[in-house]
Amino acid sequence: MKWTITYYDETLEHEIFGLPDGILAKFIKFTEIMREFGPNIGMPHTRAMGNGLFELRLKGKEGIARVFYCTFVNKHIHFLHNIIKKTQKTPPKDLRFAQSRMKEVKKNAT
């Protein structure tokens, strides 16, 4: 059984599919791998951020992006938030925002 991918809302889905072409190509490539083999495709492509939050690490000629996600036991990947990185570290407000969305979707899933 393959993994299912969903997005927090349509706005997020449009933002992700509006990423620059090189970054979007990496997103599509890695999500196809995640659908087939699961979300843990390892560094440098994915990284655990703690408490069940993960990031998909995307790099293209246009820059660097991160797409935050969480998983559910029924082989479900839920994308929560995305950013274009402008600094070395992930901005704390973006991390808190992704964590807040994760809590919300996990609460609504039970």
Side-chain angles (χ1 to χ4, degrees), residues 37-99:
F37 301 105
N40 186 13
I41 55 178
M43 286 290 284
H45 310 300
T46 61
R47 186 175 102 179
M49 302 300 286
N51 298 321
L53 183 68
F54 301 89
E55 69 176 359
L56 179 57
R57 305 160 56 92
L58 306 168
K59 189 174 185 178
K61 65 179 185 251
E62 306 92 346
I64 298 171
R66 299 290 186 257
V67 181
F68 298 98
Y69 66 94
C70 62
T71 61
F72 294 92
V73 292
N74 56 352
K75 292 193 170 189
H76 187 90
I77 300 165
H78 197 92
F79 288 115
L80 303 163
H81 181 54
N82 75 299
I83 60 169
I84 299 287
K85 285 197 71 178
K86 300 194 183 331
T87 62
Q88 185 81 16
K89 292 192 107 194
T90 300
K93 72 176 181 84
D94 286 299
L95 197 52
R96 285 190 303 272
F97 187 71
Q99 289 167 334

